[in-house]
Amino acid sequence: MITPQKGRVVLARLENRIKPDIRSQRPSNGAARASEIFSEHSPQRVPVEGSISGNVRKPLRVMKFGGTSVGDASCIAKVAEIIRAASQESSIVVVVSAMAGVTNKLIEAARLSEAGDSKAVATIFEGLRKQHDAVVDVLIPSAVERNRIRRKMRIIFQEGDRLCEGTILLRELTLRARDSISSLGERLSAPLVAAALAERGVPAEAIEATELVVTDSDHGAADPRMDLTRQQSQARLVPLLRLGTVPVATGFIGATAEGVLTTLGRGGSDYSATILGAALDADEVIIWTDVDGLLTADPRLVPGACTVPEISYREAAELAHFGAKVLHPKTLRAVMQCGIPLWIRNTFAPEQPGTKVTPTGPLAGGGVKALTAIGDLAMITVGGPGIVGVPDVLGRTFSTTAAARTDVLLISQSSSQNNICLIVSSSLAKHTVEALRREFAQDLSHEKVEHITLDTAVAIVTVVGQNMRGISGIVGRTFGALGRENVNIIAIAQGSSECNISFVVAQEDMKAALVTIHQEFQLGAEAASPFPQEALGTNLQHDLKV
Ligand code: ADP
Ligand code: ASP
Ligand code: MG
């Protein structure tokens, strides 16, 4: 009998022996390319005693499915089919989000509970019960299995009722209660996906990530404690993988070392997937979503946006940080140190190769790779010629925003130091300005600091590309194109890494700015033919005839 601890050592040893080759596969010849990477004849496939699936180790893939991918019974059936096909040649750990829209409704229920509106809360829960019941009816033909899942769901819903009742009674929504209420969606969807797999003959077990991901206690934005997470997730998951069972873990949630449930932040299931990928030394993490990969811009804003075939961790992290919703901003953190490739693929078009995110990105080519934008922001300016003479304005400004727990998204300072401009989320703007006015009250009254002003309705547009450093004229072309379209630039920031250029425009100009720059750099055209046609034949899903 191999203990989980021992299994972990075996897995880790095995990973070290075969991983470098798997990871150095170039993505330019299609997506996961199961047949190439894990070919029966591969010299790297070393039989190792006690590995997770008998004597021949299968590659380990963590596959995360987002809210739209598990949005209803027919979507879950598609997801189950993708997992079933992949499980024939890989060990799979699945991470699921709540069904689309469910987390929003739960957060609304939590807010209404705090307001004491028990009727509205009951209506939301009634709708959620119906929604999940309907999926059970369609997805699970066996009456016994249906009843088992229904019992499980009833217990989760009862927990939700009690949490909301407590909040209604106290008229206070603690961060801890908010996390527990908003986590219910993932706790409901994981058993549904596991049941859909079992219906297809794939042994699966739903697992709450409170058993796997150990976090700090920063409710609503928790971060993992990776050493404990490694221990816990390997102890829990390796024995299942060795038995050929597919663990279906809840995304989005974790627990402190004391066992208190936490959440990783909105959209955090992507992060759950890379956390588990790193904790298990996986060969790949695949984020399955509702678009064909990481696109050259948000397709809702730039209709001509195209899939980027390969991108570096760094570029993907910049895009995620500056608003590309397809990845949670922290997703790359977990895999950056271990170099695990990350894929972004479309659940509804699994024949598409998707985007591969690798440590270095493609070796050839540089310049602008993709664009992103964050809207609904505010600009705070601390300024006036007098501030040159006020000692430590910068230091005091940033200690004040830190104390106010305001995330500053972009900073720009005029060369004369007359102005410091900070871009923050609109929802935090008023209270940040108040904090700054308190901090600089004396300087304002002596007119050393002339003004602290607030401009609402601005957006940050970011141009991302790793090798922009070596290519002259990118800034000039960007601003030239914007000038021709009469888009006024309010502030600019370029990091010393030259991996991104960000600038601030009026909210109403955001879309025009994106479309104009996209056109200027012909991003749609460049990415239009990401892979040679013949390479698609080696695509994992294509091979597996999903
Ligand atoms: P999921 O529910 O699968 O987590 P999300 O809605 O969180 O999916 O993220 C996917 C969405 O992100 C896409 O439908 C798309 O509208 C949006 N998006 C924004 N920017 C990009 C981009 N650069 N590439 C791909 N999708 C993007
Ligand atoms: N369900 C959570 C949310 O809507 C997490 C996720 O979907 O990634 O934010
Ligand atoms: Mg998401």
Side-chain angles (χ1 to χ4, degrees), residues 64 66-67 97 267-270 289 325-328:
K64 176 260 173 176
S97 291
S269 300
D270 301 327
T289 183
K325 188 182 173 233
V326 68
L327 287 178
H328 180 274

Side-chain angles (χ1 to χ4, degrees), residues 64 66-68 288-291 293-295 297-300 324-326:
K64 176 260 173 176
T68 326
W288 291 91
T289 183
D290 58 358
V291 284
L294 192 75
L295 306 183
D298 185 338
R300 294 166 299 185
K325 188 182 173 233
V326 68

Side-chain angles (χ1 to χ4, degrees), residues 62 64 95 226 268-282 285-287 327-328 330-336 338 340-342:
V62 175
K64 176 260 173 176
V95 174
M226 279 312 287
S269 300
D270 301 327
Y271 194 24
S272 306
T274 50
I275 291 169
L276 287 179
L280 296 169
D281 291 319
V285 176
I286 308 174
I287 307 282
L327 287 178
H328 180 274
K330 293 181 187 168
T331 310
L332 272 306
R333 273 192 202 177
V335 287
M336 272 191 169
C338 43
I340 301 173
L342 175 78

Side-chain angles (χ1 to χ4, degrees), residues 12-35:
R13 202 185 325 127
L14 183 61
E15 293 290 343
N16 289 337
R17 288 164 74 171
I18 67 169
K19 202 159 273 177
D21 266 68
I22 292 174
R23 290 185 183 162
S24 65
Q25 290 291 317
R26 303 309 309 156
S28 52
N29 49 358
R33 280 166 297 273
S35 54

Side-chain angles (χ1 to χ4, degrees), residues 172-192:
E172 186 193 358
L173 180 63
T174 61
L175 292 174
R176 203 165 148 162
R178 191 177 192 270
D179 269 358
S180 293
I181 296 169
S182 57
S183 73
L184 297 171
E186 273 72 10
R187 296 177 59 202
L188 291 163
S189 63
L192 287 175

Side-chain angles (χ1 to χ4, degrees), residues 114-358:
E114 188 179 30
D117 192 343
S118 52
K119 217 167 145 204
V121 174
T123 309
I124 289 179
F125 272 89
E126 194 45 41
L128 291 175
R129 278 193 177 87
K130 282 197 182 132
Q131 183 179 354
H132 287 83
D133 268 352
V135 176
V136 175
D137 286 343
V138 177
L139 214 55
I140 306 165
S142 138
V144 176
E145 192 53 17
R146 254 201 326 264
N147 287 336
R148 194 184 66 78
I149 297 285
R150 286 229 173 89
R151 269 197 305 279
K152 198 164 178 175
M153 290 195 160
R154 203 172 310 131
I155 293 169
I156 297 171
F157 274 119
Q158 280 166 356
E159 210 178 300
D161 289 341
R162 281 201 304 278
L163 284 161
C164 288
E165 278 159 20
T167 307
I168 290 167
L169 206 65
L170 296 170
R171 294 287 163 90
E172 186 193 358
L173 180 63
T174 61
L175 292 174
R176 203 165 148 162
R178 191 177 192 270
D179 269 358
S180 293
I181 296 169
S182 57
S183 73
L184 297 171
E186 273 72 10
R187 296 177 59 202
L188 291 163
S189 63
L192 287 175
V193 173
L197 285 169
E199 284 299 328
R200 282 163 179 74
V202 181
E205 184 175 326
I207 296 177
E208 305 211 343
T210 43
E211 291 186 63
L212 309 174
V213 178
V214 183
T215 71
D216 59 22
S217 55
D218 191 0
H219 285 280
D223 270 313
R225 296 177 59 183
M226 279 312 287
D227 44 350
L228 293 174
T229 300
R230 269 182 95 82
Q231 277 171 25
Q232 249 173 249
S233 44
Q234 292 194 3
R236 181 73 173 93
L237 300 180
V238 169
L240 290 178
L241 293 170
R242 210 179 304 120
L243 288 171
T245 301
V246 174
V248 181
T250 55
F252 184 48
I253 66 181
T256 63
E258 294 72 39
V260 178
L261 186 145
T262 53
T263 64
L264 308 178
R266 293 307 306 272
S269 300
D270 301 327
Y271 194 24
S272 306
T274 50
I275 291 169
L276 287 179
L280 296 169
D281 291 319
D283 293 291
E284 288 182 344
V285 176
I286 308 174
I287 307 282
W288 291 91
T289 183
D290 58 358
V291 284
D292 283 347
L294 192 75
L295 306 183
T296 47
D298 185 338
R300 294 166 299 185
L301 297 169
V302 181
C306 288
T307 308
V308 179
E310 185 181 1
I311 196 163
S312 68
Y313 280 174
R314 185 67 202 280
E315 292 164 311
E318 296 282 1
L319 287 166
H321 179 75
F322 282 106
K325 188 182 173 233
V326 68
L327 287 178
H328 180 274
K330 293 181 187 168
T331 310
L332 272 306
R333 273 192 202 177
V335 287
M336 272 191 169
Q337 280 183 350
C338 43
I340 301 173
L342 175 78
W343 287 87
I344 301 155
R345 302 192 55 189
N346 192 343
T347 304
F348 306 99
E351 71 286 355
Q352 292 297 323
T355 298
K356 188 175 191 183
V357 189
T358 57

